[in-house]
Amino acid sequence: MTHEPTPCREGDHGKFEITDRDGWARLGKLHTSTHVLKTPCLLPVINPNIRTVEPRELWEQYGFEALITNSYVIWKHEKLKEQAIAGGVHKLLDYPGVIMTDSGTFQNYVYGDVEVGVEEIVNFQREIDVDIATMLDVFGTPDMTKEEVEQAVQETISRAKASLEAAGETMLNGPIQGGIHSDLRKDSAVGMGEHGFAVHPIGGIVPLMERQRYRDLVEIILACREHIPWNRPIHMFGCGHPHLFPICVALGADLFDSAAYALFARDDRMLMPWGTVKLGDLNEFPISTSALSGHTPASVKSLSDDARCELLARHNLEVTASELARCRQAVRDGTIWKLVEERSHTNASLREATEYLYNNMPEALVAATNPLRNGGVRTSQDLPTSPPSIAALGRLLNSFETDSERAVLISGVSGPWRDRIGGLVHSIANRWPDAAVFIETPLGLLPYTMEDVSPWAHLMGPASIWNGMASDDRDFDLQALMGDVEQVIEISFEHKKESNLAIIESVFGDGLNEEITRAELDREMIEDKVCYFLDVSREESEQLLAGCSFVYSKTKRVRNVHASDGQHILSPRLRDGGLSLTLEGARRLHGSDMPTVVVNDDSIPFTRKGRNVMHGFISEVKGELNPGLPCLLESEEGVFLGHGVAQCTASEARCFTKGIAVKVRDGIGE
Ligand code: GUN
């Protein structure tokens, strides 16, 4: 396939935009003057002296849109240098895509003999027309003392300004160092983030990956991620093993580079999505790639050294590329955490790193995650903690409020709960109108009012997952949701033989306290959802819904909610249990606590017409935006303009300059 690169549009040079996301995991576009690069992507490392696979083939045959090579190696070799200066690096390598170059820092780490100047090497990269250059950073190793690493961090930061000046218009990498010290990684991210770099590689991680110190790798990413400006891509320097891609992508990595494909091939090692396999150990190939087509392990072993190395390098490249494609698709599908979990079982160090991550899940990652999913969540008992979408709903539920001091816990029953325990819950409400009813799920207690919220409503797993929670976990959840509770009644369906009515009578006696209507129960549900998903206070939710009425579907589910004056204000979504506001509903919530994006004057006519709010046109964000959840739109004068679904967090809205910030549902019109 021959295709031409697509240069960025004027004014977009150096910008990065997000096109799809799940929490911190993101698909994006990096706008360079040569090509608009889709991320996450992998840059194969090309040694300009030894080309195991020709760069042209990387572009045409394998579809790699970017590669990385070393400007120091070119600079040192007179002939390469002359050619590069005369015709540019794209011509030198015969590669039409994005070319990133490194600066010699890594050579200095490996050989210790780099004697190029800080400005000199950046000037050279600009001169040879690279798309993304790298400053000469100071490599912090795990063996250095903390003082030495700190010195490396500070020295790198102190070189930033001169390097950026030398780069001019050329996009520049500003590496984050700091070794294994979280505080230094943070200092590095803050210090480098203050300068105008285009990309931030996380550097100094190769020695950790070589020793499979993956937990350190996760700790490093966690230490710096939130301090790197959100609108800049993150590159994992030297990270090319496919089994690391899912966890890195889930934590927000955008670019990877791989010398591994060629290095591993040189000693007959084959990359697989689940790890590394030695050619010598194989009787059959457990995976098929076009490189291996027509071959058996025996036939590959019998090739000459060069031919075998090339064939294995091609195989390694294919596996690497397809694993990254798998990650991208998983981000689109909302299943990246499932892939993280799956890959974690392929390697003990990776499992340890993943468990560490589960136990130290950053609050900001959970807050950036849409709690609502279209599909279900597969769960098994070996999942030690919940993926972030579950945690995200948990976070929303932290605002659970009830005056009740009585709780009813229903266990041992899977969904759909409306059908299976709806009647029971109604009977409970008639006897104990103020009781808070919870369903015990394998992922924690769920208020009954959230019974149709996906993925909780669609948990898949063996029947045993419904055996009930450990009582400590249950007490913990109950305490978190309700504080001190005077009375807790447990209703278990585990060995249920009696009818719901019999259960109710045995627990509560047969007297009715109150006749609660079905509509009242439905109103409570909607009221809770308005609080959680629209992030408004209980009073505001009650006010919005006071005297409301419902239109029901044939299956007796609330289809539309009308305010007391008959206006349609919102609709519960059957697909995921969320809420869709109407323009009128949004108008009534304007001025409440609901997250609000303030657009600048240029954007007002577009927003009014219902066009999406683009980054770069936002003056302010009030409250926290949760990607995937609704928000309101207003002008700087505070005039209501419409509403939509946030595509970003508030921190992202404050720094991105390209891409969609809010998918607008309705504008108020002209
Ligand atoms: N390649 C692998 N690691 C590094 C690093 O920390 N800095 C630079 N410049 N290149 C690298």
Side-chain angles (χ1 to χ4, degrees):
M1 166 197 60
T2 310
H3 63 281
E4 293 306 310
T6 327
C8 69
R9 295 220 300 243
E10 218 183 300
D12 283 351
H13 184 237
K15 289 185 180 172
F16 179 59
E17 65 177 303
I18 296 180
T19 54
D20 217 331
R21 70 173 313 141
D22 185 3
W24 281 358
R26 53 200 195 168
L27 304 189
K29 284 185 188 167
L30 179 59
H31 296 257
T32 84
S33 49
T34 294
H35 186 57
V36 178
L37 185 62
K38 293 189 271 318
T39 64
C41 84
L42 177 99
L43 289 67
V45 175
I46 288 294
N47 180 335
N49 287 312
I50 322 162
R51 302 180 183 181
T52 318
V53 179
E54 278 301 317
R56 172 63 57 180
E57 262 190 276
L58 292 177
W59 175 264
E60 285 179 3
Q61 190 172 326
Y62 295 108
F64 285 102
E65 298 183 330
L67 61 73
I68 181 166
T69 189
N70 202 296
S71 65
Y72 178 69
V73 174
I74 302 175
W75 180 81
K76 251 185 96 157
H77 290 80
E78 215 41 58
K79 199 158 158 247
L80 291 174
K81 186 178 185 176
E82 267 170 31
Q83 276 179 290
I85 290 176
V89 71
H90 291 85
K91 187 154 176 235
L92 175 77
L93 297 181
D94 184 25
Y95 183 73
V98 174
I99 298 185
M100 181 188 277
T101 42
D102 204 347
S103 54
T105 297
F106 195 64
Q107 278 62 27
N108 199 39
Y109 158 64
V110 179
Y111 310 109
D113 67 342
V114 169
E115 66 298 294
V116 69
V118 169
E119 281 125 315
E120 191 178 11
I121 195 65
V122 177
N123 277 328
F124 177 63
Q125 294 173 80
R126 179 175 42 72
E127 248 181 284
I128 64 173
D129 220 8
V130 309
D131 296 294
I132 307 167
T134 303
M135 65 168 281
L136 193 68
D137 51 321
V138 183
F139 199 101
T141 71
D143 312 324
M144 286 178 172
T145 64
K146 190 166 178 189
E147 287 66 38
E148 288 168 332
V149 180
E150 185 163 13
Q151 180 62 30
V153 167
Q154 292 310 330
E155 177 61 25
T156 302
I157 295 173
S158 75
R159 294 176 180 179
K161 190 161 173 279
S163 303
L164 281 159
E165 278 167 13
E169 292 296 297
T170 303
M171 292 165 70
L172 193 64
N173 273 331
I176 309 296
Q177 296 290 346
I180 50 172
H181 307 284
S182 291
D183 52 342
L184 298 184
R185 286 283 174 183
K186 177 183 167 188
D187 292 349
S188 179
V190 171
M192 298 297 281
E194 282 168 2
H195 294 275
F197 290 104
V199 177
H200 286 292
I202 297 184
I205 54 177
V206 169
L208 297 172
M209 290 183 298
E210 282 170 350
R211 286 170 233 169
Q212 299 212 343
R213 289 173 59 175
Y214 296 152
R215 181 189 149 148
D216 285 324
L217 182 68
V218 166
E219 280 190 55
I220 287 169
I221 304 175
L222 291 182
C224 57
R225 171 60 281 201
E226 288 177 62
H227 306 286
I228 297 174
W230 296 99
N231 58 334
R232 299 185 190 164
I234 292 187
H235 178 141
M236 303 301 295
F237 248 153
C239 177
H241 200 302
H243 72 189
L244 289 173
F245 294 162
I247 198 165
C248 291
V249 166
L251 288 175
D254 306 292
L255 301 168
F256 298 85
D257 68 78
S258 173
Y261 77 96
L263 296 177
F264 281 41
R266 267 177 231 161
D267 34 84
D268 286 340
R269 284 184 292 163
M270 301 178 72
L271 293 175
M272 301 288 176
W274 57 88
T276 312
V277 172
K278 290 199 187 108
L279 173 65
D281 292 342
L282 293 179
N283 297 81
E284 295 179 57
F285 289 126
I287 193 171
S288 65
T289 55
S290 61
L292 300 178
S293 167
H295 278 287
T296 62
S299 74
V300 176
K301 280 177 217 165
S302 68
L303 295 173
S304 70
D305 283 357
D306 281 353
R308 195 172 68 250
C309 177
E310 186 187 326
L311 186 143
L312 294 181
R314 286 172 187 278
H315 160 86
N316 289 344
L317 268 178
E318 284 184 59
V319 167
T320 311
S322 67
E323 186 61 3
L324 211 45
R326 196 190 310 262
C327 290
R328 288 192 295 267
Q329 189 58 39
V331 175
R332 288 184 198 102
D333 295 344
T335 54
I336 187 70
W337 286 97
K338 183 165 165 271
L339 198 56
V340 169
E341 172 67 15
E342 279 171 19
R343 291 292 176 253
S344 76
H345 291 282
T346 60
N347 175 291
S349 308
L350 189 53
R351 181 67 205 166
E352 191 201 334
T354 308
E355 284 183 8
Y356 176 82
L357 172 57
Y358 287 157
N359 292 325
N360 294 277
M361 194 63 81
E363 176 53 30
L365 191 161
V366 174
T369 302
N370 184 355
L372 298 170
R373 303 276 137 166
N374 283 336
V377 163
R378 239 171 254 284
T379 175
S380 58
Q381 281 176 323
D382 61 1
L383 189 66
T385 182
S386 47
S389 72
I390 306 288
L393 183 61
R395 188 183 67 90
L396 296 186
L397 294 180
N398 282 340
S399 57
F400 182 86
E401 273 178 46
T402 171
D403 300 333
S404 175
E405 282 167 359
R406 306 199 271 196
V408 179
L409 310 185
I410 302 177
S411 66
V413 58
S414 60
W417 291 301
R418 171 177 301 262
D419 299 340
R420 304 186 66 184
I421 54 171
L424 172 66
V425 172
H426 198 164
S427 304
I428 293 169
N430 282 332
R431 281 148 176 99
W432 262 12
D434 67 336
V437 180
F438 297 97
I439 308 162
E440 278 193 35
T441 80
L443 298 166
L445 291 183
L446 182 72
Y448 180 75
T449 50
M450 297 278 130
E451 62 85 24
D452 62 346
V453 168
S454 192
W456 292 55
H458 299 107
L459 295 172
M460 291 170 277
S464 58
I465 66 173
W466 296 101
N467 283 351
M469 296 167 69
S471 68
D472 279 357
D473 292 344
R474 192 173 51 206
D475 293 348
F476 179 81
D477 272 20
L478 196 59
Q479 175 73 28
L481 287 163
M482 289 189 68
D484 288 327
V485 185
E486 235 165 52
Q487 201 174 357
V488 181
I489 298 235
E490 297 174 22
I491 300 177
S492 171
F493 275 63
E494 213 174 322
H495 310 290
K496 176 177 174 285
K497 299 217 171 51
E498 310 137 283
S499 70
N500 288 346
L501 191 61
I503 293 177
I504 286 292
E505 283 177 359
S506 70
V507 175
F508 299 96
D510 59 3
L512 291 189
N513 287 330
E514 231 170 283
E515 192 68 62
I516 304 285
T517 64
R518 170 71 197 277
E520 278 172 89
L521 282 181
D522 287 328
R523 194 188 45 71
E524 272 176 32
M525 275 182 135
I526 307 279
E527 197 180 287
D528 273 2
K529 287 187 180 180
V530 167
C531 289
Y532 302 136
F533 297 135
L534 308 184
D535 202 10
V536 304
S537 68
R538 178 67 50 181
E539 295 71 45
E540 287 163 340
S541 176
E542 279 171 4
Q543 207 178 338
L544 178 75
L545 298 168
C548 69
S549 58
F550 304 121
V551 174
Y552 286 94
S553 70
K554 277 202 209 97
T555 53
K556 301 259 172 37
R557 301 189 65 178
V558 176
R559 193 202 298 259
N560 294 328
V561 179
H562 293 261
S564 54
D565 59 1
Q567 296 258 25
H568 178 197
I569 49 173
L570 55 91
S571 298
R573 275 196 306 271
L574 304 189
R575 170 165 56 82
D576 60 6
L579 296 178
S580 293
L581 274 177
T582 64
L583 183 63
E584 185 53 32
R587 195 195 306 275
R588 288 173 193 217
L589 284 169
H590 183 232
S592 73
D593 289 347
M594 190 169 162
T596 301
V597 173
V598 182
V599 304
N600 69 18
D601 290 353
D602 291 344
S603 174
I604 293 175
F606 300 96
T607 309
R608 292 179 77 112
K609 275 188 228 157
R611 304 267 285 277
N612 292 335
V613 175
M614 307 306 288
H615 285 295
F617 295 87
I618 294 174
S619 323
E620 194 193 335
V621 178
K622 298 179 177 170
E624 288 302 327
L625 299 177
N626 192 325
L629 293 187
C631 64
L632 301 177
L633 303 165
E634 68 177 29
S635 69
E636 287 175 12
E637 276 72 48
V639 177
F640 173 69
L641 298 174
H643 69 115
V645 176
Q647 306 297 301
C648 60
T649 64
S651 317
E652 289 165 348
R654 292 188 184 107
C655 62
F656 271 91
T657 53
K658 184 140 183 80
I660 301 173
V662 181
K663 281 199 175 154
V664 174
R665 279 183 60 93
D666 298 296
I668 55 169
E670 285 161 70

